[in-house]
Each structure stands twice: as C-alpha cells, then as structure tokens.
Amino acid sequence: MIRRRVTALLLVLGAVLTVPGTAGQAQAAGYRYWSFWQSGASAWGYATQGPTTARPADGSVDGYRFSVSADSQDSAKPRTAPSFAELCADTPAKPGTKRVGVVIDFGTEADAPSGEKPPSAPVSACAAVPSDASSAEALAAVAKPLRYNSDALLCAISGYPRTGCGEQVAAGDPAPAVSGTSSPSAGKTAGTAGRAADEGPSLGLFAGVAAVLALGGAAFWQSRRRG
C-alpha cells in the first residue's frame, strides 16, 4: 500500500512539472521597443541613461532604433551613423542654445507590430534646443508626435507604432497582435528602463513540488521501517 502511495505521489510530481507555462516552457524571445543610443567617433553606444535624464552637450548625436531584442547585449543599433558635422552643418550655433544631432531608425518589417509597416527610411535631423534641454526634448523638437505609456516608457516616435508599448514577443512569433494602452507622460524611456523580466515558475508551483516531495519522502521512510 505504501509503495502504491509513493508511486502515485511521483506521478503527481511529474504532472506538476509538465503543466503548460512552467519552467519547461520556452522563454520569450524578447521585447519590442525603442532603444536609445549615443554616438562617439561615428559609432553607436548603448546609452547609460534614458533620454529624459540625459543632457547632451552641443555637438552630440542621439540615436533611436525600433526592434525586437532581449536586452542591451543584442539590441539592434541604428543602421546609419552620420556625424554631427553632417547633421548640423546648416544649423548655426546661437547663444543660450545647443545643437543635437538626432537619428531615428524605424526598424524592419520583421520587427513591426502586426498590421503595421515602418516608415521607409531612417530620419536624420539637427535639433536646436535650450542649452539645458534633455535628449527627450531634442527628440521632441524634430520627431513629434511622441507617445508614452502610463509608466513613462517611450512607445512611439513620429506616431510609429500606432499601438503597443514594450510588449513581450514569444520565440517563433516575431510579430504578434499588439495590445495595451498608453498615455503621454514625462519620465524614463526605452533603452535604460522599464522592460519586464521573463516570467518563470510561480511560487505556488515550487510550493506544490516541495509538498509532493515531502509526502513522498515520508511514505518512503514509513515503508522502510515496516519492511
């Protein structure tokens, strides 16, 4: 009888470990979002601050890229890297202002939300803004409308994409239907904040496994003492 109980408990354990959505399920491929970059010597580097907190100096170049990526290690860079001289050659310096080059890469069709297509070509511009302006203010000067969600994550530049914001993308499904709402607000943006971690097994799962193992162990020792 005891051995039958042990066998039954082990079968329950196996069922728990194969429930859909647990640790055995494939993890998400990444997130669809706007990443933020800064240029140095004509090469892009992933920004260490969000655009709303970064205060670029006169002569800086900021870049934005829309793509699907897991984190900064595999995030796609803007595909063009024009120099400040190229971007702002026709914008003279003025007292009390600074010039910031802005490059916007809308990404590829493969990374676009379902039912949308990115604008055909990247945008390059020179923003003339107050000397204390943030990168977000420089972006707004050349690429309205911008869209933020309720957590102040940058969702859209120049109206792209129309919907969605930093949504998780499952492996093998690069362009699922987008969802979610947004509302404009100032604050942190994609590139340095706001991406949720991949969801793992719930605490309830681990508690259930622990309980099954404990019961199985007790039954096993009982059978040894009676044998």
Side-chain angles (χ1 to χ4, degrees):
M1 178 64 70
I2 296 298
R3 290 182 180 178
R4 290 180 181 176
R5 290 180 181 177
V6 172
T7 301
L9 289 169
L10 291 176
L11 289 174
V12 172
L13 174 60
V16 169
L17 292 176
T18 56
V19 170
T22 63
Q25 188 179 31
Q27 295 298 310
Y31 298 85
R32 181 182 288 112
Y33 69 100
W34 281 101
S35 57
F36 175 44
W37 303 79
Q38 293 175 315
S39 179
S42 297
W44 292 115
Y46 202 85
T48 59
Q49 299 182 70
T52 57
T53 57
R55 304 284 169 177
D58 182 78
S60 299
V61 178
D62 291 342
Y64 300 84
R65 172 68 188 267
F66 188 77
S67 66
V68 173
S69 61
D71 52 39
S72 62
Q73 300 302 313
D74 73 345
S75 189
K77 300 178 181 180
R79 289 168 289 181
T80 60
S83 66
F84 173 78
E86 294 175 283
L87 293 169
C88 294
D90 298 327
T91 306
K94 294 181 180 180
T97 67
K98 62 184 176 184
R99 297 160 299 164
V100 179
V102 179
V103 176
I104 304 164
D105 188 334
F106 296 94
T108 66
E109 289 191 26
D111 287 338
S114 180
E116 295 198 50
K117 289 186 177 181
S120 58
V123 171
S124 298
C126 184
V129 292
S131 56
D132 63 346
S134 66
S135 289
E137 291 172 297
L139 175 63
V142 300
K144 289 182 178 180
L146 306 180
R147 177 167 59 86
Y148 293 86
N149 73 359
S150 58
D151 294 322
L153 184 71
L154 179 64
C155 304
I157 297 176
S158 296
Y160 179 79
R162 296 188 304 272
T163 58
C165 192
E167 62 271 14
Q168 193 175 60
V169 179
D173 186 16
V178 296
S179 61
T181 58
S182 61
S183 60
S185 65
K188 60 191 177 184
T189 59
T192 58
R195 296 201 301 276
D198 288 345
E199 294 183 359
S202 67
L203 291 177
L205 169 63
F206 288 120
V209 172
V212 171
L213 290 175
L215 290 172
F220 174 76
W221 281 110
Q222 271 192 316
S223 65
R224 287 291 301 272
R225 292 177 62 185
R226 295 180 181 182

